[in-house]
Amino acid sequence: MLGSFVGVADYGAFVAAIIVFLLIPGPGNLALITSTSKGGIPGGLGATLGVIAGDQVLLWAAVAGVSAVMAAYPTAFHLVQWAGAVYLAWLGIKMLRAKAGDAPILQIKPRHYFRQALLITLLNPKAIVFYMAFFPLFVDPAQHQGLKTFAVMATTIAGLTFLYGLTSVLITYFLAERIRANPKISAVLNKAAGVFLIGFGIKLAVSK
């Protein structure tokens, strides 16, 4: 089996766990939906790549032991945590204050969606701790192959995230095409997205 060959204790369970985590609502999911509704499929795919890039930075930082440094220097952890909270809340407030005819909160160019999703993903330092706690659950100490094992895990996460992002983008796009015909629905969804972003920011700020 591929899992045991590369040092992953149960590759099937690892894949299933990643899929479950992808389905949990969070800032990344909201970034994909908002980007697609504003910039269509190119915007959604740009955000998907941004989420993947951010995840890869965080998981490799976790492998390198960054979480241990943050544990030793909790002030650094909390500073990054608060930066993420403020950024999410700022986006949410801008969405709540937006009026019909205003320029989109997120730019329509895919590279901007990439940057936006990348920042949202990176400004969640708890993800580093999550990866440090999550990886050991699926590492087979007897057959662990160092960076090769982690590389397979990282590639799997990137691939599953892309497939999930692509599916979300396509579903959101076709729904958005029907919603755009009704400005009132679009305005309500924009406000709802703002409320959720503020909520995610508060959750990140108060989490321990």
Side-chain angles (χ1 to χ4, degrees), residues 28-51:
N29 299 71
L30 188 59
L32 294 180
I33 294 172
T34 304
S35 298
T36 304
S37 65
K38 296 293 185 182
I41 293 178
L45 290 179
T48 299
L49 294 177
V51 170

Side-chain angles (χ1 to χ4, degrees), residues 52-140:
I52 291 173
D55 268 341
Q56 291 296 307
V57 170
L58 292 177
L59 69 86
W60 283 109
V63 171
V66 173
S67 64
V69 176
M70 285 189 165
Y73 300 98
T75 300
F77 177 88
H78 290 302
L79 285 175
V80 178
Q81 189 175 38
W82 272 96
V86 170
Y87 181 68
L88 292 179
W90 175 72
L91 286 178
I93 292 172
K94 288 189 69 176
M95 286 187 170
L96 285 176
R97 297 180 62 183
K99 298 178 181 178
D102 286 353
I105 302 304
L106 302 178
Q107 296 298 321
I108 300 301
K109 298 179 181 178
R111 66 175 179 273
H112 291 160
Y113 287 115
F114 173 89
R115 183 176 60 202
Q116 195 90 23
L118 175 64
L119 284 173
I120 287 175
T121 304
L122 288 177
L123 289 173
N124 181 13
K126 292 183 74 67
I128 300 176
V129 179
F130 165 77
Y131 282 124
M132 283 296 289
F134 178 71
F135 281 164
L137 298 176
F138 295 97
V139 171
D140 185 347

